[in-house]
Amino acid sequence: MNEYDLTGRIAVVTGGAQGFGRAIAERFVASGAKVAIWDHDIALAEKTAKEIGAEATAFKVDVTDLAAVEKTRDETLKAFGKIDILVNNAGIAGVNKTVWETDLEEWRKVLRINLDGPFICCKAIVPAMLKQGYGRIVNIASIAGKEGNPNAAHYSSSKAGLIALTKSLGKELAQHDILVNAVTPAAARTAIFDQMTQQHIDFMLSKIPKGRFVLVEELAALVAWLASEDCAFSTGAVFDISGGRATY
Ligand SMILES: NC(=O)c1ccc[n+]([C@@H]2O[C@H](COP(=O)([O-])OP(=O)(O)OC[C@H]3O[C@@H](n4cnc5c(N)ncnc54)[C@H](O)[C@@H]3O)[C@@H](O)[C@H]2O)c1
């Protein structure tokens, strides 16, 4: 494992209780950071934090609730004194249906968690980053946001929106040492698969030229670089990790 130096950095990883978020939290801690795991599944978040060790702390928060996010930001600042890194990772797949079969409430739920959530966390945390003059924000989007997966219009639209949020905020903060980037992974075998049909999982695998799912550790390595000082000139950018699926 190559090492990116995150010594002394404080990171918030939303949805860090499992899957990509947990792998990112583990990689950050291995790189010298302290991590606040923000997750609405507090039991799992606490178990994960305990397994990772003293450098990880669990906080219960629903990222769709601005007041709750502001409160958790304040608790995190009180506990650690600053927030250097924000990884907007919490997300859901939603139910796999065509556009015309999708319930309006289901559409709204996916948009609320996958797009409102990152907006709310950025809105709450960027002022603290501006005050300290440093920050790294990494948004976990998806190849679905570039290509638009059938039977996942809500999910694909939320991730396309997250890519646009990344580009807008990146430009707004470009004059500061606060970088905002997105990653667009192919599918990874995590608990999120439980929300999808087997047909949809098979479809996603069939689209990956490398012929396998991405490993959570592979994504964590890319995110660790984006969260480090080594990443200094890229902002508002989208980093592919789709096993060759992306053509742009
Ligand atoms: N696994 C994949 O195939 C894949 C591919 C591309 C992108 N992604 C994206 O990566 C991110 C993580 O996915 P994963 O596969 O690790 O999922 P996961 O289901 O394993 O983990 C998601 C975590 O987010 C938490 N969460 C969900 N809603 C929340 C909310 N409102 N507030 C706080 N926490 C909440 C869950 O409790 C869970 O711990 C998601 O944004 C997902 O869209 C996943």
Side-chain angles (χ1 to χ4, degrees):
M1 185 169 88
N2 293 308
E3 206 162 294
Y4 301 113
D5 188 8
L6 300 180
T7 307
R9 296 293 177 201
I10 306 299
V12 167
V13 179
T14 71
Q18 58 188 318
F20 278 151
R22 178 181 175 142
I24 292 163
E26 286 175 339
R27 178 84 195 213
F28 282 3
V29 166
S31 308
K34 288 197 171 90
V35 177
I37 293 175
W38 285 17
D39 206 293
H40 67 172
D41 185 343
I42 188 62
L44 188 58
E46 276 173 350
K47 183 169 173 282
T48 298
K50 207 170 158 201
E51 285 166 9
I52 293 177
E55 308 306 315
T57 310
F59 293 84
K60 181 179 169 61
V61 65
D62 177 346
V63 296
T64 68
D65 180 343
L66 176 61
V69 166
E70 286 174 341
K71 185 168 163 274
T72 311
R73 172 206 58 201
D74 292 346
E75 286 166 9
T76 305
L77 286 171
K78 198 167 169 221
F80 298 108
K82 59 176 184 164
I83 297 171
D84 300 301
I85 300 164
L86 166 63
V87 181
N88 284 305
N89 165 79
I92 61 166
V95 176
N96 292 135
K97 286 188 176 168
T98 59
V99 167
W100 60 95
E101 290 166 334
T102 298
D103 289 339
L104 178 57
E105 221 3 83
E106 177 70 10
W107 168 273
R108 287 184 173 149
K109 185 176 153 193
V110 174
L111 269 288
R112 243 188 341 259
I113 296 173
N114 294 4
L115 184 54
D116 292 9
F119 162 76
I120 286 170
C121 291
C122 289
K123 180 175 169 58
I125 291 176
V126 166
M129 289 180 168
L130 280 168
K131 216 186 262 177
Q132 74 201 17
Y134 183 85
R136 295 288 182 269
I137 298 173
V138 185
N139 293 325
I140 311 300
S142 167
I143 184 68
K146 286 181 171 181
E147 294 213 344
N149 280 345
N151 302 307
H154 44 17
Y155 183 79
S156 306
S157 303
S158 71
K159 296 301 186 179
L162 184 54
I163 289 170
L165 172 64
T166 303
K167 293 180 178 182
S168 297
L169 184 60
K171 291 182 183 75
E172 288 168 7
L173 293 171
Q175 295 299 312
H176 305 268
D177 190 8
I178 304 174
L179 309 182
V180 190
N181 291 293
V183 293
T184 52
R189 194 177 285 288
T190 69
I192 210 171
F193 273 26
D194 299 345
Q195 301 167 36
M196 304 171 191
T197 61
Q198 189 57 45
Q199 194 185 12
H200 192 68
I201 293 168
D202 294 344
F203 163 79
M204 292 190 303
L205 182 58
S206 75
K207 299 288 281 182
I208 303 173
K210 278 190 84 67
R212 66 167 175 85
F213 295 118
V214 63
L215 303 176
V216 293
E217 295 80 8
E218 291 171 333
L219 181 82
L222 175 58
V223 173
W225 179 73
L226 289 168
S228 76
E229 282 176 76
D230 276 1
C231 175
F233 200 62
S234 297
T235 195
V238 185
F239 289 77
D240 172 64
I241 177 157
S242 68
R245 178 173 170 185
T247 50
Y248 75 98

